[in-house]
Amino acid sequence: MGAAVTAMPFYAVVLNGVVLLIVLYYLYRGNALKKIAYARRFNRMTAFEGDRVEMVEEIENRKLLPVPWLRLESLMSRHLEFGRQANFDIRSGETFQNHLSLFSLRPYRRIVRRHDIRCAKRGYYMLGTATMTAGEPLGLVQVSRHFAVDPSPLTVYPRIVPLAELPLPNHGWLGSLPVRRWIVPDQFLAAGVRAYAPGDPLSGIHWKATARTGELQVHRRDYTADHRLVVVLNVEIRADMWKTVTDPERIEQGIRYAATVIDYALGKGIETGLISNGWVAGEAKAPIRIESGGGAVQLERLLAALAKLRLETVQNMAYLLEREAESAGRRTDYLIVSCHREEKLSIAADKLRSLGNGVEWMDIPEGKDRPGEPETAGGEGNGHEGET
C-alpha cells in the first residue's frame, strides 16, 4: 500500500509533463511566428567601392507568447563583407553567403541590430527574401516561413582612384580639358530645352515647355567653343574576344579609371557622356550610350551605369565607334579606355579625329603593371544590438 502511494506522484509528474509538451506543441506550432514583424535596410542608398555601410535589422514580437529561439536565414552577395559578432553566422559560397541570425524574443519586445558592412566590389545589391524558423523551448516544434522584405537596394559605385594612377600618356590632357570647354554660353544660339537644374538663372526658364511638361524647363544654349567629353569604355580584352570577359579584374580597373575621369570632368563643369560595349543589368541587353550632360544628376547616372555594368560584350567596339563617327558632331573629346588598340578600332578612332574631334587613349594595364589594389580583407567591425 505504501509503495502505491509513493508511485502516484511519479505518474502524475509524467502525465503533467506529457500534457505540458502537448500544450506547448500546439501552442507554438500555430502561434510561434504569428505577429512577428521583421524589417531590414541599408542606412544609405549609394556608396563607393571600399566604403563601409550599415545594415539595420529590426525584429519585433507583437504578442504575449514569448519566442525562446528564432533563426533567420538569408542569402546575400559575398562582396558585402560583414564584421564578426555574436548571434550571427556567415557561411560563404562562391557567389553568395548564407547569413544566419539568432534571436530570443520576450513578449512585446523589439530588437534592433546594426551590422557593419564593407562594400568590397561595385554592384547593385538587394536584400531580397529571408526564411524565419522558430519553436518552443525544448526544440520539439520548428515552424518555418519564407517571406519577402523591402529590397532596400544599395548601389556601390566604382572606386575613384588618384589622378596620378591613371595610365594616360600625358596627364596634362586632363588639365587642359577645362580650358577647351566653353567659357560663356552664346545667348543667341538656342539648342532646345532641358530640365531645370539647381543654379540655373530664372531668366532662362522656358515657360511654354514648362507648361507643356509640368516640370521646370530652361533654354539650352549652345556655346562658341562647345567641347564635350565622351568616355568610351571597351570591355574587350582582345579584339577576338566574344561575350564573357576573360580577365574580369583588368576590366574592373578600367571601370575605376572611367569613373575617375567622369568624376573629375563633371567636377570641372565639363559635359560628359559614356559609351560602352557592355550592358547595364536590369535594362535592355544593349550597348551603353549616355549622352553628354552636366551636374550632379548626370554624375549619379553615369556612376550608376558603371556600378551595374555587366562584364559581357554585346557589340564589337570598333563597330560602335564607326557608328559614332557617322552620327557624331564636332568639338567632342573622346577618351577610349581599352585593353587593346587593334587595327579596326584604331581606324574608327582616327575617323572620329578626322571629323574635328579630340581622341585620346587610356590603356588598361595587365595585372603585373597595375597600381596597387585596395585592401580586400574583411574587417573585424562588430555589429551591435539594442532592445526595447
Side-chain angles (χ1 to χ4, degrees):
M1 185 72 177
V5 172
T6 56
M8 287 295 293
F10 173 75
Y11 291 129
V13 169
V14 172
L15 180 61
N16 290 337
V18 171
V19 171
L20 179 60
L21 288 177
I22 293 173
V23 170
L24 286 175
Y25 177 84
Y26 285 100
L27 185 62
Y28 277 92
R29 189 181 71 169
N31 299 282
L33 291 179
K34 281 188 176 179
K35 296 185 178 180
I36 297 292
Y38 176 75
R40 60 183 175 184
R41 65 186 184 278
F42 293 111
N43 67 332
R44 314 161 47 176
M45 296 180 64
T46 61
F48 281 89
E49 187 180 16
D51 285 355
R52 290 189 176 275
V53 299
E54 200 173 64
M55 188 185 80
V56 182
E57 280 188 304
E58 295 184 12
I59 189 165
E60 184 176 3
N61 183 13
R62 298 175 177 174
K63 61 181 183 294
L64 183 62
L65 181 70
V67 181
W69 65 270
L70 185 149
R71 182 175 68 246
L72 191 77
E73 299 182 60
S74 59
L75 288 177
M76 296 183 66
S77 171
R78 67 182 182 87
H79 299 303
L80 297 178
E81 298 178 349
F82 284 70
R84 297 178 183 176
Q85 67 179 91
N87 300 321
F88 191 69
D89 186 26
I90 300 175
R91 300 173 184 175
S92 295
E94 183 176 348
T95 304
F96 294 97
Q97 48 191 349
N98 189 26
H99 294 255
L100 294 88
S101 298
L102 297 176
F103 299 89
S104 178
L105 297 170
R106 292 182 291 168
Y108 301 107
R109 288 297 184 270
R110 180 169 66 99
I111 292 177
V112 179
R113 285 182 181 167
R114 303 180 186 276
H115 305 282
D116 180 53
I117 299 174
R118 181 180 177 275
C119 304
K121 188 177 180 181
R122 68 170 183 91
Y124 184 73
Y125 303 100
M126 291 190 294
L127 293 175
T129 60
T131 301
M132 189 180 289
T133 304
E136 39 69 51
L138 300 178
L140 300 177
V141 177
Q142 290 192 10
V143 184
S144 297
R145 176 164 62 98
H146 298 277
F147 61 97
V149 297
D150 184 347
S152 184
L154 172 67
T155 303
V156 178
Y157 299 144
R159 182 171 63 96
I160 304 299
V161 304
L163 291 179
E165 291 186 13
L166 297 181
L168 276 169
N170 178 11
H171 280 81
W173 179 82
L174 278 179
S176 67
L177 280 177
V179 178
R180 293 208 300 273
R181 70 178 288 274
W182 56 88
I183 303 301
V184 179
D186 190 335
Q187 299 297 326
F188 298 99
L189 296 178
V193 297
R194 60 173 175 80
Y196 175 86
D200 286 334
L202 296 179
S203 60
I205 294 177
H206 192 300
W207 295 109
K208 289 184 178 180
T210 297
R212 184 173 62 253
T213 62
E215 297 180 354
L216 275 177
Q217 303 289 312
V218 296
H219 290 280
R220 180 171 182 169
R221 303 297 183 185
D222 214 334
Y223 302 88
T224 55
D226 192 7
H227 271 274
R228 294 177 174 85
L229 173 65
V230 175
V231 176
V232 180
L233 177 61
N234 183 13
V235 300
E236 300 166 352
I237 300 297
R238 301 180 308 276
D240 59 352
M241 193 198 83
W242 178 245
K243 288 193 175 180
T244 305
V245 172
T246 54
D247 187 352
E249 188 46 49
R250 190 176 180 187
I251 299 301
E252 289 292 342
Q253 190 69 353
I255 293 171
R256 297 183 191 111
Y257 293 158
T260 300
V261 173
I262 287 169
D263 179 68
Y264 172 85
L266 286 171
K268 294 295 185 181
I270 303 166
E271 290 196 354
T272 306
L274 175 67
I275 294 175
S276 179
N277 53 346
W279 58 286
V280 174
E283 298 183 9
K285 198 171 182 179
I288 301 170
R289 192 183 194 288
I290 300 176
E291 293 286 347
S292 296
V297 173
Q298 180 74 353
L299 177 61
E300 292 175 6
R301 185 184 180 192
L302 295 175
L303 290 181
L306 292 176
K308 300 176 185 180
L309 178 67
R310 296 294 299 269
L311 298 187
E312 182 183 55
T313 61
V314 290
Q315 188 66 67
N316 178 267
M317 180 52 77
Y319 174 73
L320 285 182
L321 284 190
E322 289 170 2
R323 289 178 53 189
E324 182 70 13
E326 293 171 359
S327 60
R330 299 183 178 185
R331 300 192 302 273
T332 298
D333 288 302
Y334 289 88
L335 176 64
I336 304 174
V337 183
S338 178
C339 294
H340 70 87
R341 302 190 189 188
E342 60 89 22
E343 185 179 4
K344 290 184 179 179
L345 185 59
S346 296
I347 291 173
D350 289 341
K351 186 174 181 180
L352 276 172
R353 187 182 287 113
S354 68
L355 294 173
N357 301 296
V359 177
E360 287 285 343
W361 293 83
M362 180 184 288
D363 297 322
I364 307 173
E366 295 187 45
K368 64 180 184 300
D369 299 321
R370 283 198 296 266
E373 299 294 330
E375 182 183 352
T376 57
E380 295 292 325
N382 294 324
H384 51 280
E385 174 181 314
E387 182 174 341
T388 59

